[in-house]
Amino acid sequence: MQPLRAVKGMNDLLPEEMPRWHRVEETFLRLSRRYGYAEVRTPIVEPTQLFVRSIGEVTDIVEKEMYTFVDKGEQSLTLRPEGTASTVRAYVQHTVYAREAVTKWIYLGPMYRRERPAKGRYRQFYQLGAEIYGDPGPFVDAEIIEMLVAFLRELGVKDVEVLVNSLGGPETRPRYRAALVDYFDPHRGELCADCQRRLDVNPLRVLDCKVERDAKIAAGAPEILDFLGDEDRTHFEGLQAALDALEVPYAVDPRIVRGLDYYTRTLFEVKGRGGQLGAQDTICGGGRYDLLVEELGGPATPAIGFAIGVERLLMVMEDEARPAAVDAFVVAAGEPLRTEAAVLLRDLRAAGITADADLRGTSVKSQMRRADRSGARVALIVGEAEHARGVVQARDLAGKEQHEVARGEVVAHVRRRLERQA
């Protein structure tokens, strides 16, 4: 029978890979707590209409990439393709706005898009994200960008570069939309079929097209910064002033538009160098979405957030996390001593010491090979003669020194050894 394989674009994460994942997640959780965030977890499956209303019908995600199905109750459901819509739904559903003036949330977990698998892009992928509700900025915009830069630098990402732009508010978009239609309409026949349709429904999507010919045409399009109203311009200037004060290096890039309909005002992308990506490339992006909470049934609430694809982040992390290892490995020198080895394991673990053993009844030589491969710092050998005398042989696996330790002192001995080697 042919062995079954994982679905294309959905990957197993094996134990040897997990230390780097844990480092990313633990760093993000620790750093975000320092900035006052709390963690939220939302379901993987949501009503399809949530993403249609938030992301926009005329987007590649909704039109081509979502995993959507009808359940037994005849309800259309979708595996979440991104995290912001779900967090907004939870924020509204649980009336968090009535309890807190400003809410700061972070999330992490798998997302699903049926796009073509590529380097660092998968059909099941993992995101870390942060969202702030209730603060119109621009200082909070600068703060969330500063936290993101601090996070990337702590992970060893090199040459972190921030690009910022503004989409303006509801008054800016109609003016800019009209200017884009005027610009692109003479080129309509040269655009791809998708962009010809987007030009009638949402011309900003044309700026986001990855078709090379369309991108060249879009390069000459009007820039949205020329259409900002006074309030939007003041907000954008305030963001830049705050980033300057926080000493966050950035550049203004009026071509950043992002691929989702819910963005307003501040947009940003972060690039970095290193690791498997090599050349500079985008690691993450985000922006302000001041209309989305109201669009999903809540009160008018300003909001801003970002999301990071963990797989791409891992590719720009050059420094490797250490492989997972145990502190102590217990070796039973003979069949009758496996019970004593199991009891010793329990005592070590109860004391907070990471410990393992091979209790299959294999030879001492085989167990010692397992001890070496485990990365343990010390092997504790339970021999028949030693057991009769109430002692255990403690072998330093790095220096190969070996000492007899009274059974009642083993835990304290291992703890002292670990403290000396820390």
Side-chain angles (χ1 to χ4, degrees):
M1 177 177 163
Q2 186 73 19
L4 294 174
R5 300 179 64 85
V7 176
K8 184 177 182 181
M10 300 186 182
N11 300 325
D12 300 311
L13 298 175
L14 301 180
E16 57 266 27
E17 302 173 77
M18 293 314 300
R20 301 184 77 230
W21 284 76
H22 290 157
R23 182 174 174 230
V24 168
E25 294 167 357
E26 290 163 4
T27 301
F28 186 65
L29 291 170
R30 172 173 45 79
L31 187 66
S32 62
R33 282 195 296 269
R34 195 182 304 165
Y35 281 74
Y37 289 79
E39 183 183 358
V40 63
R41 299 193 182 190
T42 61
I44 290 174
V45 179
E46 295 274 14
T48 301
Q49 195 61 24
L50 171 65
F51 304 112
V52 173
R53 288 174 60 182
S54 61
I55 297 173
E57 291 186 76
V58 190
T59 60
D60 284 348
I61 294 175
V62 171
E63 291 182 324
K64 304 176 182 179
E65 298 172 0
M66 295 202 312
Y67 282 93
T68 297
F69 61 96
V70 177
D71 73 352
K72 292 182 179 180
E74 300 301 315
Q75 182 181 11
S76 180
L77 302 177
T78 294
L79 299 180
R80 62 186 183 192
E82 55 94 41
T84 296
S86 292
T87 62
V88 173
R89 192 266 310 145
Y91 177 80
V92 172
Q93 178 178 335
H94 300 285
T95 60
V96 179
Y97 51 82
R99 305 194 303 269
E100 301 172 351
V102 176
T103 296
K104 292 182 172 183
W105 280 353
I106 57 99
Y107 63 86
L108 52 90
M111 311 292 166
Y112 300 85
R113 296 184 192 177
R114 200 186 188 285
E115 56 184 340
R116 182 179 302 171
K119 193 173 186 180
R121 299 188 185 278
Y122 305 100
R123 291 176 176 175
Q124 176 179 292
F125 59 100
Y126 291 79
Q127 278 189 349
L128 305 173
E131 317 285 353
I132 302 177
Y133 303 103
D135 190 328
F139 297 103
V140 74
D141 300 23
E143 179 193 278
I144 201 171
I145 294 172
E146 189 267 331
M147 182 183 79
L148 176 55
V149 170
F151 170 59
L152 295 175
R153 286 176 173 168
E154 189 160 337
L155 292 177
V157 178
K158 296 182 178 179
D159 299 331
V160 175
E161 179 187 9
V162 177
L163 303 176
V164 297
N165 189 25
S166 176
L167 279 182
E171 299 80 13
T172 297
R173 282 207 177 198
R175 296 196 300 270
Y176 187 50
R177 176 193 172 105
L180 287 178
V181 171
D182 289 344
Y183 172 79
F184 282 114
D185 207 43
H187 302 281
R188 183 183 291 268
E190 304 170 58
L191 299 174
C192 70
D194 282 341
C195 282
Q196 291 183 33
R197 181 172 49 83
R198 290 167 181 157
L199 188 55
D200 294 324
V201 182
N202 191 344
L204 266 72
R205 298 282 71 76
V206 181
L207 298 174
D208 213 24
C209 184
K210 301 301 185 290
V211 176
E212 184 176 355
R213 181 181 59 188
D214 293 14
K216 288 181 178 179
I217 296 172
E223 296 181 354
I224 195 167
L225 294 179
D226 295 330
F227 295 82
L228 295 182
D230 291 342
E231 290 186 10
D232 294 333
R233 191 173 303 281
T234 298
H235 186 279
F236 191 48
E237 290 171 352
L239 166 65
Q240 295 174 72
L243 289 173
D244 288 336
L246 294 174
E247 299 181 339
V248 176
Y250 69 93
V252 175
D253 184 350
R255 295 299 176 189
I256 298 175
V257 295
R258 307 294 295 153
L260 309 181
D261 279 359
Y262 53 59
Y263 284 114
T264 56
R265 285 193 169 172
T266 300
L267 291 177
F268 58 90
E269 290 184 353
V270 180
K271 299 176 181 288
R273 298 179 187 271
Q276 300 173 50
L277 283 181
Q280 191 174 66
D281 208 345
T282 301
I283 304 170
C284 62
R288 182 164 282 282
Y289 48 97
D290 291 342
L291 306 178
L292 185 55
V293 174
E294 188 172 12
E295 172 66 23
L296 295 181
T301 305
I304 186 171
F306 68 76
I308 308 174
V310 178
E311 289 87 349
R312 289 182 66 77
L313 177 55
L314 289 168
M315 294 174 72
V316 295
M317 286 172 51
E318 291 191 338
D319 51 331
E320 296 288 335
R322 292 182 180 180
V326 296
D327 296 323
F329 198 95
V330 179
V331 175
E335 180 83 14
L337 298 170
R338 286 191 291 171
T339 299
E340 173 57 26
V343 173
L344 179 54
L345 271 176
R346 179 206 62 190
D347 294 346
L348 291 164
R349 291 164 176 167
I353 296 170
T354 305
D356 203 359
D358 183 348
L359 300 180
R360 297 174 299 166
T362 56
S363 67
V364 171
K365 186 176 181 180
S366 175
Q367 292 178 67
M368 290 302 298
R369 285 197 297 266
R370 283 284 306 275
D372 284 329
R373 287 197 301 269
S374 75
R377 302 182 187 184
V378 60
L380 301 170
I381 306 167
V382 182
E384 190 171 344
E386 290 84 358
H387 180 55
R389 293 187 289 112
V391 298
V392 170
Q393 293 288 344
R395 181 180 297 181
D396 184 334
L397 291 175
K400 303 304 180 184
E401 299 175 355
Q402 187 163 311
H403 306 278
E404 276 193 358
V405 181
R407 173 62 178 85
E409 296 295 323
V410 170
V411 170
H413 173 84
V414 172
R415 185 176 284 120
R416 287 194 298 271
R417 180 67 62 85
L418 296 176
E419 289 171 354
R420 288 199 299 269
Q421 294 178 350

